[in-house]
Amino acid sequence: LESINEDTSSIISFKKDRNSPVAFELAYTIGGDYTVQDLPGNEDEKVDQLNPGFDLIGWKLEDTDSDLRSVFTFDDKGCVKSFHMGTRSLTLYGGGYIAASDTPYKIIYKTQNITMDGYDYYDEQAMTGTTSTPDAPSYTDATNNLKNITGFTARTDLLTEREIKADGTTVVEVLYDRNAYTLTFHANDGS
C-alpha cells in the first residue's frame, strides 16, 4: 500500500483464491485512495506464502454490488488496479497466479570412483527454471549444462530431467564414467 491514513473505520482484507495453490491472508485498516502497486505479494511486503514457486498476478473483488464495484478499476486480467476505500470494509481475493520463472533447483555432478563400483560427489550448480504444473510441465536443464571433466565422460543415457517442484527442492544428478584406455606393449625383439 502506498500509504495508510489515520482513518481506522475501514478494513481491507486480502485472502487466497479458493482454487489457488498460493494463499495470502492479511488485514489492513485503512482509508482514502490506494493503488495495488505495493500490495502484498511483491518484495515490498513479506507475507506467508503457503506454496512458493508461484507469482501472484493481482487482487480481485468478489462482490456483485454494482455500487461497490464502481469505485474500482480493473486490468485486463480482472484484477483490481485502483480503488477508493472510503469508510467501508471489504475483502479482496487473489486474482490469479502464474508459475514463477525463477524457481530454484540443483544439478549435482558425480564421477565414477577408482574401483568403478559407485559414484562420488564432484560438484554442483544452482539453477532456476519455471515451476512445473500439471497443465504446463517444466523440467530441469542438466543436459545443456554438462561439465567437461578431464578423464570422464557424462552418462547422458542415464540422465533423467526432473520436473521443477514449486518448493525448490528438485535435484537432478549427472553421472560421469571414467574413460577407458588401451595400453599396448611392443617388445621390439626384447623380452
Side-chain angles (χ1 to χ4, degrees):
L1 298 171
E2 291 185 339
S3 61
I4 297 180
N5 292 350
E6 293 182 2
D7 175 6
T8 59
S9 59
S10 58
I11 295 177
I12 179 169
S13 299
F14 305 89
K15 294 186 178 295
K16 69 177 181 177
D17 187 334
R18 284 187 290 272
N19 298 319
S20 169
V22 185
F24 299 90
E25 295 191 1
L26 297 174
Y28 289 93
T29 301
I30 63 175
D33 291 307
Y34 298 91
T35 65
V36 294
Q37 296 189 2
D38 290 319
L39 285 182
N42 61 23
E43 290 302 316
D44 296 326
E45 286 285 351
K46 300 302 181 184
V47 297
D48 291 331
Q49 188 168 332
L50 301 185
N51 188 359
F54 294 87
D55 293 327
L56 177 66
I57 293 175
W59 299 93
K60 64 184 178 182
L61 177 67
E62 289 196 349
D63 196 302
T64 58
D65 187 289
S66 59
D67 177 63
L68 184 60
R69 291 183 67 86
S70 66
V71 300
F72 287 77
T73 58
F74 298 84
D75 63 16
D76 58 359
K77 295 183 174 65
C79 298
V80 178
K81 289 178 66 177
S82 63
F83 57 92
H84 178 74
M85 189 65 190
T87 59
R88 75 189 86 218
S89 298
L90 55 89
T91 299
L92 293 180
Y93 296 85
Y97 302 83
I98 58 174
S101 60
D102 58 352
T103 303
Y105 68 89
K106 187 185 299 183
I107 303 175
I108 293 182
Y109 305 90
K110 293 185 174 182
T111 53
Q112 194 173 38
N113 60 28
I114 194 68
T115 56
M116 299 200 299
D117 59 0
Y119 295 85
D120 297 327
Y121 174 89
Y122 176 80
D123 198 5
E124 64 184 58
Q125 184 171 352
M127 304 286 293
T128 59
T130 302
T131 303
S132 186
T133 65
D135 294 332
S138 180
Y139 297 88
T140 55
D141 191 23
T143 302
N144 293 317
N145 288 279
L146 299 178
K147 288 184 176 288
N148 291 320
I149 305 176
T150 303
F152 294 86
T153 301
R155 291 291 306 271
T156 54
D157 58 317
L158 298 179
L159 175 55
T160 302
E161 303 287 3
R162 302 188 181 281
E163 288 195 45
I164 300 174
K165 298 178 183 178
D167 61 6
T169 62
T170 300
V171 174
V172 59
E173 290 187 349
V174 183
L175 304 180
Y176 288 77
D177 277 355
R178 290 180 176 275
N179 292 339
Y181 299 92
T182 299
L183 300 179
T184 303
F185 173 66
H186 294 280
N188 294 323
D189 299 324
S191 59

